[in-house]
Amino acid sequence: MTKTMAQLPYHYGVKVRVFPSTEQKRLIKRNSDASRFIYNEMNGMNNDLFWLKKVKTPITLVLKRIADLTERLKKPSTAISNIHGWLNHPDFDSLMKANAIKNYKTAWKLFRQVHQAGTPNFHKRGYSQTYQTSCLYSAKVTAPTMKNGSVRLTDNHHLQLPKLGRLRFKGLPLKILERANDIRIGTTTVSMDAAGHYFVSMQIGSEHPFVAKQHAIESKVGIDLNLDNFLTDSNGQVIDNPRYYRTIKGKLAKAKRKLSRRARRAKKSQRRLSESKNYQKQRLLVAKLQLKVANQRKNFLHHVSTTLVKNHDLVVAEELRGKNMLRNHALAMSISDVGWRTLLSMLAYKADSYGRNFLTINPRNTTQTCSCCGHVMTGKNKLTLADREWTCPSCGTFHVRDHNAAKNILAKGLVAL
């Protein structure tokens, strides 16, 4: 019996850019809109049920409505399709419907586990599009691969998707193409970003690792993340902060002002923004500028995280509370631009893939503590953000603030390990 995706020991995610035809673009939009509609219908039914149960007076009409909603939520796919007959149109992928319902249930599950993101909200219509489908394999298929499912590679440059048909793609790593007969495909996401670029993201699984485990090199490092120079490690190496958003901030602000003027002009002449060609041209320009910054930052963080994980057996970083830090309005823009949380998530999954250790520690007093004698600066002697260099009053050791913090972070990590 073949294993399911969940039973496979190794999982990986790949994202490729695709180039759909006009008809395929229409189908992607229809499925995206339908997916959002189903999600919102589920949310609407649950909201109605919640508030109706708050009614203390046993009104017959209310009790009947509660019973009706409870019955519908047992089999939501059938119930929603029966009420909204247009969802039975052949343009729609049946697995898209199942995934929309599954995503809504997952959102509730995450809320119950984490209690930070809040309850599921209604999804608003925007300029981006996305929906999920799944790769199914026939009962006759004894060895599921990337070439024999409902989502499959037809060759090294084309893939087949349900309802959409054949799509040209680029960007799939060569190591995945070479192992296509050893890998199976799971959940697949079709998306379009605000700049009009189309992508297909695939969850893939295998019995064998996707990344070779690295040999032990007996090297450990602590990293201190800061706004002055992005990252300083316990060995004294410093990585400069590229500040991608700041370099393009002026140009982006000018483009947004122009976009705002075109929006006002369109509304003044009573034209919808979707029909205003000048507005849409400027919107695409703004979206591409924002996308450029995001791609630059992501590329930089990938290089930094991969280098750290490949060159060290243990990487220790400080736990960051991004939401709390963003409350400081003087630093909010710089903190958002630097991408610390993304770096830490990259380090976590890459360390797991390469067989390395990565952990985060409580950063309490890592800046204020002398890494030589353990003296803690308190009271009037407490260091401020302006103090980049200091001398320990206890042992007289001269410290560079960030290098000292990185040493303390590594020491705490070794104790925790």
Side-chain angles (χ1 to χ4, degrees):
M1 184 179 176
T2 58
K3 291 184 178 180
T4 62
M5 280 294 292
Q7 292 170 336
L8 291 172
Y10 299 101
H11 295 91
Y12 202 69
V14 291
K15 185 176 182 179
V16 297
R17 186 169 174 188
V18 294
F19 305 90
S21 64
T22 306
E23 175 60 18
Q24 287 170 333
K25 288 178 182 178
R26 184 188 70 82
L27 290 171
I28 290 170
K29 187 177 187 314
R30 287 210 72 188
N31 279 276
S32 173
D33 291 345
S35 177
R36 186 183 71 253
F37 177 83
I38 292 168
Y39 187 97
N40 289 342
E41 275 291 298
M42 289 286 294
N43 200 27
M45 287 193 291
N46 264 304
N47 284 353
D48 287 351
L49 191 60
F50 174 78
W51 290 111
L52 286 169
K53 284 182 177 180
K54 294 281 184 182
V55 178
K56 294 180 181 179
T57 310
I59 303 170
T60 308
L61 188 64
V62 172
L63 294 174
K64 188 178 178 182
R65 177 64 175 163
I66 290 172
D68 183 42
L69 287 171
T70 307
E71 191 63 32
R72 284 187 199 175
L73 288 169
K74 287 180 181 177
K75 292 184 178 179
S77 179
T78 308
I80 294 172
S81 295
N82 287 343
I83 296 169
H84 305 281
W86 57 272
L87 287 171
N88 296 316
H89 194 278
D91 281 354
F92 298 119
D93 184 353
S94 61
L95 294 169
M96 170 273 296
K97 303 174 189 177
N99 276 288
I101 294 167
K102 180 185 173 184
N103 290 340
Y104 180 75
K105 291 179 178 178
T106 302
W108 270 111
K109 186 178 178 182
L110 288 173
F111 166 71
R112 294 186 184 104
Q113 288 176 347
V114 183
H115 282 281
Q116 283 185 352
T119 58
N121 294 321
F122 288 100
H123 286 179
K124 296 179 180 178
R125 182 172 61 181
Y127 287 106
S128 59
Q129 301 167 15
T130 183
Y131 76 92
Q132 283 188 338
T133 185
S134 301
C135 180
L136 298 182
Y137 291 92
S138 168
K140 297 178 182 178
V141 176
T142 54
T145 70
M146 293 184 79
K147 295 185 176 181
N148 56 14
S150 59
V151 178
R152 61 184 180 276
L153 301 181
T154 54
D155 56 50
N156 287 355
H157 302 286
H158 295 87
L159 58 87
Q160 187 83 13
L161 284 171
K163 298 298 179 182
L164 297 182
R166 199 162 176 257
L167 283 163
R168 183 169 66 88
F169 74 87
K170 71 172 184 179
L172 193 63
L174 186 62
K175 63 181 181 181
I176 301 297
L177 289 171
E178 290 173 347
R179 290 181 49 191
N181 293 325
D182 178 45
I183 298 170
R184 66 172 292 170
I185 300 173
T187 304
T188 302
T189 305
V190 184
S191 61
M192 185 198 79
D193 62 20
H197 303 146
Y198 288 84
F199 300 93
V200 170
S201 304
M202 293 179 285
Q203 178 201 19
I204 55 177
S206 177
E207 292 278 5
H208 306 100
F210 292 96
V211 179
K213 301 288 182 183
Q214 299 292 304
H215 298 294
I217 50 178
E218 299 299 323
S219 175
K220 301 171 180 62
V221 70
I223 57 173
D224 175 59
L225 303 170
N226 53 84
L227 294 175
D228 192 44
N229 50 36
F230 182 69
L231 183 151
T232 303
D233 69 19
S234 53
N235 299 323
Q237 294 180 338
V238 176
I239 297 175
D240 292 330
N241 187 349
R243 294 185 171 88
Y244 292 116
Y245 178 73
R246 285 187 182 273
T247 58
I248 210 168
K249 182 185 172 187
K251 189 176 181 180
L252 185 60
K254 188 176 179 180
K256 283 185 173 180
R257 286 196 296 271
K258 193 172 181 179
L259 180 69
S260 181
R261 287 197 300 271
R262 290 188 175 181
R264 287 199 303 270
R265 196 179 303 158
K267 289 177 182 177
K268 192 175 180 180
S269 57
Q270 297 183 345
R271 283 179 290 126
R272 294 173 63 183
L273 294 181
S274 59
E275 296 170 356
S276 175
K277 291 185 178 179
N278 286 336
Y279 174 85
Q280 291 300 330
K281 284 180 186 176
Q282 190 63 22
R283 183 194 65 78
L284 274 176
L285 194 147
V286 170
K288 285 177 181 177
L289 282 173
Q290 292 172 328
L291 186 65
K292 181 182 178 182
V293 173
N295 287 341
Q296 285 177 321
R297 187 185 297 118
K298 193 182 293 182
N299 182 60
F300 169 73
L301 295 176
H302 271 301
H303 280 298
V304 172
S305 57
T306 303
T307 302
L308 284 170
V309 169
K310 280 190 172 182
N311 294 331
H312 304 284
D313 293 324
L314 172 67
V315 180
V316 187
E318 54 190 317
E319 290 175 5
L320 295 175
R321 297 286 183 267
K323 191 179 285 187
N324 296 338
M325 296 167 74
L326 289 172
R327 289 173 184 165
N328 185 338
H329 299 295
L331 300 174
M333 187 182 73
S334 297
I335 291 168
S336 298
D337 186 24
V338 81
W340 287 333
R341 279 299 331 160
T342 308
L343 176 71
L344 294 182
S345 64
M346 286 180 178
L347 285 169
Y349 81 76
K350 288 181 182 181
D352 186 51
S353 297
Y354 286 105
R356 303 298 201 197
N357 288 319
F358 169 73
L359 57 99
T360 56
I361 54 94
N362 188 340
R364 182 180 175 83
N365 286 334
T366 51
T367 302
Q368 308 292 335
T369 305
C370 172
S371 57
C372 292
C373 67
H375 175 76
V376 181
M377 303 290 279
T378 56
K380 293 180 180 178
N381 294 326
K382 192 171 183 178
L383 302 175
T384 64
L385 283 173
D387 299 320
R388 308 312 302 175
E389 297 174 345
W390 59 287
T391 302
C392 177
S394 178
C395 65
T397 306
F398 173 77
H399 293 296
V400 175
R401 176 193 178 100
D402 302 327
H403 184 206
N404 174 67
K407 286 181 176 179
N408 288 328
I409 287 168
L410 176 60
K412 273 194 170 186
L414 291 171
V415 171
L417 194 65

